[in-house]
DNA sequence: GTTTACTTGATAATGGTTATCATTACCGCG
DNA sequence: CGCGGTAATGATAACCATTATCAAGTAAAC
């Protein structure tokens, strides 16, 4: 049930999903935002604002770091992006897939590597908690910390 | 099974547990460290370094903020304290109870309030994942995010 | 008591994130 | 089409939690 999560999502689908949501919200179209959205769509796992910015600049874009943070904040507020805190003081982001399926993370405390995994029993347990508790649960995240294969 | 977690731990037991562990490690006794350990022992849930420092200063202590961070780092490295990242860029800490029993957190994304809960099925699911994955899992944490009763 | 080196508290430095602000450019309206 | 209001941008300063530095203090071994 706990799989290594070898999925390869259709990046394009999230890209258009996000573009539609932004249009529906009435935001203006801009090259900076487009570039950031496209960059996020291309990610396989989470990336920090700085990493996204660096990749964009390497590819010739002139987006400012502020626009990357602004776009991430906007997308996060709209639920289009999931924020992951691995505990090193850096926020990482990855696309939120519309179907609701998602994964969680194994964080190596020695080298900082992040791997993804998915587990149905875990999701089930969390949903049951959400139903039972006096709290409206919108999202959840799980991090398992330890040593990856290489660091062990 | 998912309880509101109304436990009232014996603060003194963790206090002596921590003091013993520090003595065994061979650290020197100091008033600053004692003060921080006592403050942590008195917490019901997680608190940030700054909060701990503020409380100590209010109570007349002269501990410097650096000593609070240093002590937290030391205790965390010894597994005596658990670090929680609620996603607001501030690390929070709470005593790790020797029995291994622990709780997780409900984080209100609008007011920042943090509540604790415990769930056996969740722990069970996580242990099964830990056994199955190619990763040595030392710790785990779960955060459910949403709106608390007051903010809903 | 002396010595050694662990600790401390104040403060400077670091680095991710946010706020500011003048400028640019989208887009609805005439 | 061209104008005007204003969202959005990019550079940069400000912010703030956390870390590193360092001279002074102090616990513990001898």
């Amino acid at each position: 049930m706990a799989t290594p999560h070898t999925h390869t999502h259709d990046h394009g689908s999230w890209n258009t999903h996000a573009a539609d949501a932004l249009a529906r919200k009435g935001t203006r179209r801009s090259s900076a935002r487009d570039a950031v959205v496209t960059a996020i769509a291309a990610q396989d796992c989470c990336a920090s604002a700085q990493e996204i910015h660096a990749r964009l600049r390497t590819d010739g874009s002139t987006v400012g770091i502020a626009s990357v943070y602004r776009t991430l904040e906007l997308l996060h507020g709209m639920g289009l992006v999931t924020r992951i805190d691995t505990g090193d003081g850096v926020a990482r982001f990855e696309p939120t897939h519309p179907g609701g399926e998602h994964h969680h993370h194994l964080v190596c405390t020695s080298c900082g590597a992040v791997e993804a995994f998915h587990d149905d029993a875990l999701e089930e347990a969390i949903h049951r908690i959400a139903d039972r508790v006096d709290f409206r649960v919108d999202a959840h995240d799980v991090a398992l910390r330890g040593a990856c294969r290489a660091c062990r």
Side-chain angles (χ1 to χ4, degrees), chain A:
Chain A
M1 204 183 287
T3 66
H5 204 70
T6 54
H7 75 153
T8 301
H9 266 293
D10 181 356
H11 298 152
S13 84
W14 179 83
N15 203 331
T16 56
H17 169 60
D20 287 354
L22 287 168
R24 222 172 7 253
K25 190 181 167 70
T27 62
R28 283 190 191 162
R29 199 83 187 286
S30 81
S31 60
R33 200 126 72 194
D34 283 354
V36 175
V37 169
T38 302
I40 293 169
Q43 291 171 198
D44 279 332
C45 196
C46 51
S48 69
Q50 316 255 3
E51 285 165 356
I52 292 169
H53 182 241
R55 184 159 2 116
L56 287 169
R57 298 296 275 235
T58 300
D59 294 354
S61 170
T62 60
V63 272
I65 185 73
S67 288
V68 176
Y69 279 108
R70 276 189 291 244
T71 303
L72 286 170
E73 183 186 0
L74 175 66
L75 296 175
H76 185 237
M78 296 174 69
L80 291 167
V81 129
T82 303
R83 175 182 168 146
I84 292 114
D85 291 282
T86 61
D88 61 352
V90 182
R92 287 155 198 283
F93 300 85
E94 64 188 18
T96 304
H97 290 285
E101 97 274 31
H102 59 266
H103 57 242
H104 296 291
H105 297 90
L106 298 162
V107 180
C108 179
T109 48
S110 98
C111 74
V114 177
E115 280 180 40
F117 73 87
H118 176 82
D119 187 86
D120 287 330
L122 176 64
E123 300 300 326
E124 177 68 25
I126 289 172
H127 279 130
R128 271 208 264 266
I129 295 166
D131 288 343
R132 201 168 308 208
V133 105
D134 185 19
F135 211 92
R136 175 165 55 73
V137 176
D138 299 326
H140 65 266
D141 59 89
V142 178
L144 307 193
R145 299 176 200 286
C148 68
R149 180 189 248 293
C151 290
R152 192 170 26 186

